[in-house]
Amino acid sequence: VQLQASGGGLVQAGGSLRLSCAASGSIFSIMSMGWYRQAPGKQRELVATITKFGSTNYADPVKGRFTISRDNAKNTVYLQMNSLKFDDTAVYYCNARVIRSVTYDSADYWGQGTLVTVSS
């Protein structure tokens, strides 16, 4: 199973970006998908998650500014980021909890990370 993230870049404070992450490979089902971020010198932290059935969870710093969504048919998760702040600068990683085909066991997978830089 591979996760391919895209959409990062440089944006001014107050601007918007949309991240995408597509999962591919031996997938029977994806139970949940999410975004995490890691700023320089800090630990990786949760940004937002979404279940297969559309239930969402957001970290407090991004509530009201970020929106997570997914397209189950495409095994893709999105993160719409609005009103970006300097503190949102980080490498953003997508995550998926996958039920693998053939074995039907679950496993967590991570994308390669995409850099979001917000200039003040």
Side-chain angles (χ1 to χ4, degrees):
V1 176
Q2 298 83 37
L3 299 183
Q4 181 66 48
S6 61
L10 174 64
V11 63
Q12 288 188 331
S16 298
L17 280 176
R18 188 189 193 214
L19 306 182
S20 300
C21 177
S24 62
S26 300
I27 298 169
F28 174 75
S29 179
I30 301 179
M31 301 310 296
S32 66
M33 302 185 82
W35 291 95
Y36 292 74
R37 67 187 181 185
Q38 187 166 17
K42 295 186 177 181
Q43 292 186 331
R44 189 174 299 187
E45 63 179 9
L46 168 74
V47 176
T49 60
I50 184 167
T51 69
K52 179 179 181 179
F53 306 103
S55 295
T56 59
N57 179 52
Y58 295 92
D60 286 344
V62 308
K63 284 181 179 177
R65 299 188 297 121
F66 292 9
T67 301
I68 190 170
S69 60
R70 63 185 282 181
D71 185 331
N72 290 333
K74 296 181 179 179
N75 288 335
T76 299
V77 63
Y78 306 96
L79 185 69
Q80 177 66 44
M81 304 185 293
N82 298 329
S83 302
L84 282 161
K85 304 176 181 179
F86 177 75
D87 288 349
D88 295 319
T89 296
V91 177
Y92 284 70
Y93 297 91
C94 59
N95 168 270
R97 175 154 293 179
V98 173
I99 304 296
R100 297 185 286 200
S101 58
V102 180
T103 60
Y104 299 104
D105 59 340
S106 65
D108 281 334
Y109 292 91
W110 293 89
Q112 82 282 12
T114 184
L115 177 63
V116 172
T117 304
V118 183
S119 62
S120 58

